Amino acid sequence: MRFDIITLFPEIIDFFKIGLVGKAQQNNLIQVACWNPRDFSTSPHKQVDDRPYGGEPGMVLQYQPIVDTLNHIKKTHPYSDQDRHIVYLCPAGKPFNQSMIASFKEKKQFILIAGRYEGIDQRIIDHHVDSLWSTGPYVLSGGELPACAIIDALSRSIDGVLGNKASYENDALSEHYAIKHPVYTRPRIIDGHAVPEALLSGDPKKISQWQDEQRNHNKEKSD
Ligand SMILES: C[S@@+](CC[C@H](N)C(=O)[O-])C[C@H]1O[C@@H](n2cnc3c(N)ncnc32)[C@H](O)[C@@H]1O
């Protein structure tokens, strides 16, 4: 799976060289590339934004630098329309969730447009974007962190990215992912707090029964 991020701040995506997603890139299971629309601006001062029509405050990212970046990505990394999905990260977009990962698992390329300022010229959305996705009901300063969150979540579904396939299947059980059972690790007792006996029993049936019973364990602190 390939991810192309259109961003004015590629440095924010840099942390992806570490951890699980970094390893997936090293192993060529995914490819992540950033493209700065400033490099594609045809204006003499490499301008990428301008004031909005209608007299509102703030700045809007212009059509030309973003669409030329998009066309360059399409030309240098060609995929069919069916294999490619173009997303604008937007607070008002569809809330990204675990079940969307399964529906988009077969795509080969995602082009993620990270907005800044007051967003991007609407004509980009109308004529070049397939979906608007949000990572939550809040407004961030840019789409880079949402892009990273979505790339991370989608990458986990790719064979070989997680050492243990069951971990993804565990994530993917949509009725369970949000209410995972509690997990514990060594030591067995710390500060007087002991690991539940059922987990130490070595009996898979007993362990899975305990895990099912405990799915709501964290509910009180999650409400
Ligand atoms: C300051 S915000 C734009 C705010 C603008 N008033 C709006 O409602 O779209 C700048 C950029 O951050 C990104 N962004 C902010 N919050 C987001 C969220 N919750 N999910 C996805 N992208 C978000 C979008 O790309 C947006 O264009």
Side-chain angles (χ1 to χ4, degrees):
M1 201 178 268
R2 182 180 170 87
F3 299 97
D4 291 288
I5 308 153
I6 300 182
T7 167
L8 285 175
F9 298 102
E11 304 87 338
I12 299 176
I13 318 284
D14 268 2
F15 80 88
F16 259 0
K17 295 198 179 90
I18 57 167
L20 196 91
V21 177
K23 209 163 159 203
Q25 288 180 76
Q26 283 157 25
N27 294 336
N28 216 21
L29 295 169
I30 63 166
Q31 294 79 42
V32 180
C34 290
W35 306 87
N36 193 331
R38 208 173 288 287
D39 297 334
F40 294 84
S41 170
T42 53
S43 91
H45 299 292
K46 297 287 174 200
Q47 188 181 340
V48 289
D49 58 344
D50 210 333
R51 285 170 295 154
Y53 281 110
E56 284 171 301
M59 299 296 268
V60 172
L61 291 177
Q62 292 173 297
Y63 184 97
Q64 179 274 317
I66 291 192
V67 172
D68 281 4
T69 311
L70 199 52
N71 288 338
H72 178 81
I73 298 169
K74 285 180 177 176
K75 206 167 138 196
T76 53
H77 298 92
Y79 288 87
S80 68
D81 287 346
Q82 210 188 329
D83 286 340
R84 179 178 58 221
H85 203 67
I86 302 176
V87 176
Y88 170 51
L89 286 324
C90 172
K94 180 173 173 147
F96 188 75
N97 64 39
Q98 193 71 28
S99 50
M100 284 159 73
I101 294 173
S103 6
F104 286 94
K105 197 175 176 303
E106 302 307 324
K107 293 282 176 193
K108 294 191 169 64
Q109 182 190 36
F110 287 88
I111 301 179
L112 304 170
I113 305 174
R116 280 271 152 181
Y117 319 126
E118 287 307 312
I120 62 174
D121 189 305
Q122 181 61 35
R123 290 165 292 186
I124 305 168
I125 298 171
D126 290 345
H127 303 291
H128 298 278
V129 164
D130 298 314
S131 298
L132 266 55
W133 287 353
S134 163
T135 51
Y138 42 76
V139 179
L140 298 164
S141 318
E144 289 78 10
L145 294 178
C148 289
I150 286 167
I151 293 170
D152 191 311
L154 282 167
S155 300
R156 294 170 68 84
S157 72
I158 297 167
D159 283 350
V161 168
L162 291 179
N164 180 355
K165 198 163 185 267
S167 300
Y168 166 65
E169 282 160 6
N170 213 13
D171 290 349
L173 295 172
S174 50
E175 77 268 37
H176 285 170
Y177 77 90
I179 45 173
K180 187 176 164 61
H181 56 75
V183 291
Y184 299 83
T185 186
R186 285 175 182 75
R188 192 170 159 173
I189 301 175
I190 186 153
D191 281 344
H193 310 304
V195 172
E197 280 301 319
L199 294 179
L200 307 171
S201 66
D203 176 347
K205 212 170 145 197
K206 210 168 168 181
I207 292 173
S208 107
Q209 190 186 341
W210 180 89
Q211 288 173 334
D212 278 343
E213 286 165 8
Q214 293 295 316
R215 286 197 194 281
N216 282 329
H217 189 97
N218 288 327
K219 194 169 183 318
E220 204 179 304
K221 289 191 181 175
S222 311
D223 280 343

